[in-house]
Amino acid sequence: MKNVVVRTLSGVGFVAVVIGALLWSRFSFAALILLITGMMMYEFFRMTMGGSYKFSRILACAAAVILFLLTFLYKSYNIPGKMVIIAILPVFIVMINSLYVRDKTEFGKFANLYTALLYIAVPMSLCNFAVFDSAGNYDGKLMVCFFAIIWGSDVGAYLLGSTLGQKFGRKLFPSISPKKSWVGFWGGFVTAILVAVVLHYLGIFRLSLMHSIIIAAIMNISGVYGDLIESQWKRHYVIKDSGNSIPGHGGFLDRFDSTLTAIPMGIMYLVLMNIQ
């Protein structure tokens, strides 16, 4: 019971901070995303690299920050899009730095520096495309809707999966995440769509009902894959949680694993359909 209380209180507080930062201003949005990105990269490096190559990890985090800030400036202040290419320079510095590392006994771990940039930094930088319109005006409501869909999906999957999924039906991906079931998947799928419909009728999700439902479905499915991808990493390194930063919930990577695939897919739909 104590763990449930801690998990509930920390979850409510965390959701409040995320929503508040998204709605407050473009700068609180940027600070929030940079914090989440930095924490996820830190946890990923600790999981995959232990204490190896700390300076190179700092360089990789710097590359992630620069990529986000350049994308932020491109969408927010309309700097030329070609300037975003500058973000490749810190990556080159990471590559060059690898030549000067003396102890190469664990050099294979260097690949995780580039993996983190592709797996974490790039998807999080794409969040800029969800909060700025073509004129550079900021509105965090769409990101709030995206997170609400992801959280709704997680809650629905957990409730049905933990109550019915362990007794009935088949497992979703037993080799990677033995507790996930198809019952839980459909619970999350339905809940995600219900959240999108409610947000639409409340006037918060400012898309047509059809687009709202389609995005919810896309984000739910891609979010499940994001969860499984992180579970595969943790299973390989034999750890339960990526960290303990959020009491009762594990680490940032545990809480935002679905985000890394769901939000980019949602943004891709908006861009391809010429909605955002």
Side-chain angles (χ1 to χ4, degrees):
M1 181 59 67
K2 182 179 179 181
N3 184 57
V4 172
V5 173
V6 171
R7 182 181 177 90
T8 301
L9 291 177
S10 63
V12 171
F14 189 73
V15 168
V17 170
V18 171
I19 293 177
L22 291 175
L23 296 179
W24 184 257
S25 72
R26 66 185 66 199
F27 302 111
S28 58
F29 152 77
L32 173 71
I33 300 302
L34 285 174
L35 170 65
I36 294 172
T37 302
M39 288 301 297
M40 284 197 291
M41 291 186 70
Y42 167 76
E43 292 173 358
F44 181 80
F45 289 145
R46 185 176 60 180
M47 175 175 63
T48 61
M49 302 179 71
S52 304
Y53 308 120
K54 291 183 179 180
F55 180 69
S56 299
R57 287 153 59 176
I58 292 173
L59 290 178
C61 289
V65 170
I66 291 173
L67 173 61
F68 175 83
L69 291 178
L70 286 172
T71 311
F72 176 83
L73 293 173
Y74 164 62
K75 290 297 295 179
S76 181
Y77 294 101
N78 293 314
I79 68 167
K82 61 185 178 182
M83 297 297 290
V84 179
I85 200 172
I86 294 175
I88 197 65
L89 290 178
V91 180
F92 284 159
I93 294 175
V94 174
M95 295 178 182
I96 294 170
N97 174 68
S98 70
L99 299 173
Y100 294 93
V101 172
R102 293 183 179 180
D103 184 4
K104 291 184 167 57
T105 55
E106 296 182 309
F107 190 70
K109 293 182 177 180
F110 244 84
N112 293 311
L113 299 174
Y114 312 120
T115 300
L117 290 172
L118 181 61
Y119 175 42
I120 299 172
V122 171
M124 295 306 291
S125 294
L126 291 177
C127 290
N128 286 295
F129 287 85
V131 297
F132 294 107
D133 62 19
S134 58
N137 299 309
Y138 176 80
D139 187 351
K141 292 187 180 68
L142 181 60
M143 275 293 291
V144 171
C145 292
F146 279 0
F147 276 120
I149 289 170
I150 294 169
W151 293 333
S153 173
D154 288 343
V155 171
Y158 174 77
L159 291 178
L160 264 74
S162 61
T163 55
L164 301 176
Q166 304 306 312
K167 299 177 181 179
F168 307 102
R170 299 173 58 189
K171 299 298 182 181
L172 182 63
F173 226 117
S175 63
I176 293 176
S177 187
K179 292 185 178 181
K180 288 183 174 59
S181 64
W182 277 104
V183 172
F185 168 80
W186 287 114
F189 186 85
V190 172
T191 306
I193 291 177
L194 288 175
V195 169
V197 171
V198 170
L199 291 172
H200 167 78
Y201 281 111
L202 288 176
I204 302 173
F205 207 177
R206 298 174 183 173
L207 300 175
S208 70
L209 181 59
M210 180 188 72
H211 285 312
S212 299
I213 293 173
I214 292 174
I215 284 181
I218 290 174
M219 292 183 66
N220 170 260
I221 295 171
S222 55
V224 170
Y225 278 111
D227 193 324
L228 289 169
I229 289 168
E230 198 234 357
S231 294
Q232 183 169 244
W233 281 103
K234 291 191 295 185
R235 193 170 186 83
H236 177 75
Y237 287 99
V238 197
I239 62 172
K240 183 179 183 295
D241 296 317
S242 65
N244 56 5
S245 305
I246 309 172
H249 292 267
F252 277 73
L253 192 55
D254 295 318
R255 295 285 63 81
F256 290 96
D257 51 2
S258 301
T259 303
L260 295 175
T261 49
I263 287 183
M265 291 301 294
I267 292 172
M268 189 182 302
Y269 177 83
L270 293 176
V271 172
L272 292 177
M273 298 300 293
N274 200 29
I275 300 173
Q276 184 76 347

